[in-house]
Amino acid sequence: MKTTENREKVAKEFFNAYKNQDIKKAVSLASEEGTFRYIPLGENGIGKIKGEEGTTWADIANALIGSFPDLTNDVKNISIDNQGNAIVQVFIGGTQEKEILGIPSKGKYYNVEHLFVLKINDEGLIEEITCYWDNWDWFQQIGYNPS
């Protein structure tokens, strides 16, 4: 799994599964000890990709789908850095139908650019997901003012 093409394939499979709201498939691409970090949402929330903790990436993805049932992603670019990480530029969007993280629904659509860094091990499993986006852009698009 050391080749660039194989790492790109894992990243594509992950985002295709997420796009199809097949969280079980997306999670199957991660190692048992895989971790994630969401920055800035959740104040640098750190947790497991899968597991029983209730704060896993799978839980968050399912919560997003529950609040944004038309949630989708549009991958714009995948590149592999010199350490084998998949760097993925993706726009995630959807129409909010339910409250999420204490944010009430105003029924608004959002489409926010995200940057994901997927650390993929030599066995082809995701060891770590780090996701960055502009939280204020997200808040503005869904009509939320936290102040």
Side-chain angles (χ1 to χ4, degrees):
M1 180 49 69
K2 294 181 181 183
T3 69
T4 296
E5 294 80 18
N6 288 339
R7 284 189 164 91
E8 284 181 21
K9 181 181 175 197
V10 171
K12 284 179 184 175
E13 286 179 23
F14 176 82
F15 282 100
N16 282 337
Y18 191 15
K19 183 178 209 168
N20 292 323
Q21 299 186 358
D22 187 351
I23 302 307
K24 185 175 180 179
K25 168 67 176 166
V27 166
S28 76
L29 298 168
S31 74
E32 288 301 321
E33 297 302 315
T35 60
F36 77 91
R37 292 184 297 169
Y38 272 6
I39 303 168
L41 188 63
E43 310 220 352
N44 282 341
I46 297 173
K48 296 280 190 178
I49 296 172
K50 53 187 170 182
E52 302 294 325
E53 291 85 4
T55 59
T56 65
W57 176 85
D59 293 328
I60 291 172
N62 281 318
L64 281 168
I65 290 166
S67 294
F68 300 86
D70 62 344
L71 188 74
T72 189
N73 65 67
D74 182 15
V75 174
K76 295 298 184 185
N77 186 49
I78 299 175
S79 60
I80 307 299
D81 70 13
N82 60 2
Q83 291 155 10
N85 297 310
I87 313 301
V88 184
Q89 176 193 19
V90 58
F91 282 81
I92 297 178
T95 307
Q96 187 177 7
E97 289 189 7
K98 297 179 184 172
E99 178 182 311
I100 186 166
L101 302 171
I103 301 170
S105 172
K106 293 187 178 180
K108 293 195 174 200
Y109 178 82
Y110 83 100
N111 190 27
V112 174
E113 182 178 17
H114 290 64
L115 181 69
F116 280 80
V117 179
L118 304 179
K119 181 178 180 182
I120 302 169
N121 68 24
D122 289 342
E123 289 76 42
L125 295 172
I126 299 168
E127 287 289 335
E128 183 177 298
I129 299 171
T130 305
C131 176
Y132 304 90
W133 74 94
D134 183 342
N135 221 27
W136 287 108
D137 188 19
W138 185 58
F139 286 166
Q140 190 172 39
Q141 288 187 38
I142 62 173
Y144 177 65
N145 184 353
S147 56

